[in-house]
Amino acid sequence: SSFFSSSIAAEDIKFGTADEKQQAVSYLKENVWKNFNFWELIKEHDSLCNFEFLGGETFLQQKNLEYLQWLVDTNKSEHCMFEIVTNGSTIPDSIINYSDKFQNLSITVSIDNLYKRFELERSGVKWADLDKNLDVFCSLPKCSVGVNVTVSIMNVYYLPEIIEWLKTKRISYYHVNILTYPDHLSINKLPHEYKNAIIKKLEKYESDNTDHVLNAVRKAKDTDGADFTQYMKFKDDIRQESFAITHPEVSVHYYKDV
């Protein structure tokens, strides 16, 4: 949504309805600090040692990187623990060069699908870059690396393939969470045939890591999927992409006219 993503907010401002434009502008204003030197204030509190950087994209925020560098330069980093969430699109030099300077550095990469499906869902990020960067993260000293998978209509059918791919990586952990907002992407309502296809596939997979997802799908309400279809066709149009090509096993239950 535009609350969590500045790129989606920019799309809503350019292509959205009047309400969507107004909301996106509001979110962008709320998420910009003005006349408030946050990082200088933080530096004044030497006792701070446990940090969580959860977003937007942590490694694209220059002030975040400058603060990490300051901790290293002042020898304070050795007492600091960091939990960082990233989309894996980039790795700053400060992380590559100084990961071993922190007491603990935990990096969680958000990966919701594989290959071309990943690129459509994470518009603007190339799969090859993400794959390479994840391997680099895993090679860093004193760095614990994991992956977070957020399950939505778009990727729930592909969950077994995603988990099997994760098992080939040198990650320390992975989490499978269920998206609850926005509603049109949530698995709490699904076309009946798609719901049955997901259930059949996840039951065959038999993994403890997908049991909660399977239970959620079983409880999903039946829907014609019109709101999801409208949303995806809108995104296809403004991004010049094709959900039907990258996600054929899903789109067949929504794109009835394709």
Side-chain angles (χ1 to χ4, degrees):
S1 72
S2 59
F3 180 80
F4 296 105
S5 171
S6 58
S7 62
I8 293 177
E11 288 180 345
D12 285 349
I13 290 173
K14 187 175 182 179
F15 301 105
T17 65
D19 288 342
E20 289 170 340
K21 290 178 181 179
Q22 183 178 4
Q23 189 175 54
V25 169
S26 175
Y27 286 153
L28 286 176
K29 288 181 178 179
E30 288 176 3
N31 290 326
V32 174
W33 291 334
K34 295 182 178 179
N35 303 319
F36 177 50
N37 202 331
F38 175 79
W39 293 112
E40 291 303 317
L41 179 64
I42 291 295
K43 290 177 183 178
E44 295 175 4
H45 293 75
D46 289 344
S47 60
L48 292 176
C49 61
N50 194 347
F51 301 86
E52 294 183 6
F53 287 178
L54 304 179
E57 174 41 45
T58 300
F59 292 143
L60 292 180
Q61 301 293 324
Q62 187 59 35
K63 291 296 184 181
N64 292 351
L65 305 180
E66 291 174 0
Y67 182 67
L68 292 173
Q69 185 66 55
W70 178 81
L71 289 173
V72 172
D73 293 342
T74 57
N75 297 317
K76 300 179 187 298
S77 59
E78 61 187 21
H79 304 296
C80 293
M81 298 177 289
F82 274 85
E83 298 275 348
I84 297 175
V85 177
T86 173
N87 65 21
S89 60
T90 184
I91 307 178
D93 290 341
S94 56
I95 293 297
I96 295 175
N97 297 331
Y98 302 125
S99 70
D100 60 343
K101 302 298 183 182
F102 295 89
Q103 180 178 335
N104 182 68
L105 180 63
S106 177
I107 296 176
T108 301
V109 186
S110 298
I111 303 176
D112 298 333
N113 221 318
L114 308 178
Y115 313 115
K116 290 297 182 181
R117 296 191 298 269
F118 168 86
E119 292 183 350
L120 182 135
E121 294 180 31
R122 185 73 66 172
S123 184
V125 181
K126 295 298 183 181
W127 171 257
D129 294 337
L130 177 279
D131 194 17
K132 179 186 67 177
N133 290 343
L134 181 62
D135 289 340
V136 173
F137 282 133
C138 291
S139 71
L140 297 177
K142 294 181 65 176
C143 185
S144 174
V145 180
V147 168
N148 186 69
V149 181
T150 300
V151 177
S152 70
I153 289 174
M154 292 187 285
N155 66 353
V156 61
Y157 184 82
Y158 306 106
L159 194 53
E161 292 94 324
I162 297 169
I163 292 176
E164 289 304 304
W165 178 81
L166 291 174
K167 291 178 180 178
T168 70
K169 295 298 182 178
R170 294 183 295 156
I171 59 176
S172 302
Y173 58 89
Y174 67 87
H175 304 299
V176 178
N177 303 315
I178 298 176
L179 178 144
T180 57
Y181 179 85
D183 187 61
H184 58 265
L185 297 180
S186 171
I187 62 173
N188 64 6
K189 53 181 183 179
L190 298 163
H192 187 72
E193 291 182 357
Y194 183 37
K195 175 179 176 178
N196 287 340
I198 299 166
I199 291 173
K200 182 178 179 180
K201 188 172 183 179
L202 294 185
E203 285 181 340
K204 183 178 180 180
Y205 185 55
E206 294 183 347
S207 170
D208 292 341
N209 294 306
T210 60
D211 283 348
H212 64 301
V213 178
L214 179 56
N215 290 334
V217 172
R218 286 172 175 155
K219 296 176 182 177
K221 298 178 181 178
D222 286 351
T223 178
D224 62 3
D227 52 353
F228 174 80
T229 303
Q230 180 181 10
Y231 172 81
M232 290 311 305
K233 287 187 174 182
F234 169 70
K235 292 298 184 182
D236 280 351
D237 183 50
I238 66 173
R239 294 175 176 175
Q240 294 299 293
E241 297 173 335
S242 176
F243 182 73
I245 292 177
T246 57
H247 298 61
E249 297 86 355
V250 181
S251 65
V252 69
H253 300 289
Y254 290 90
Y255 288 20
K256 300 299 184 180
D257 57 341
V258 177

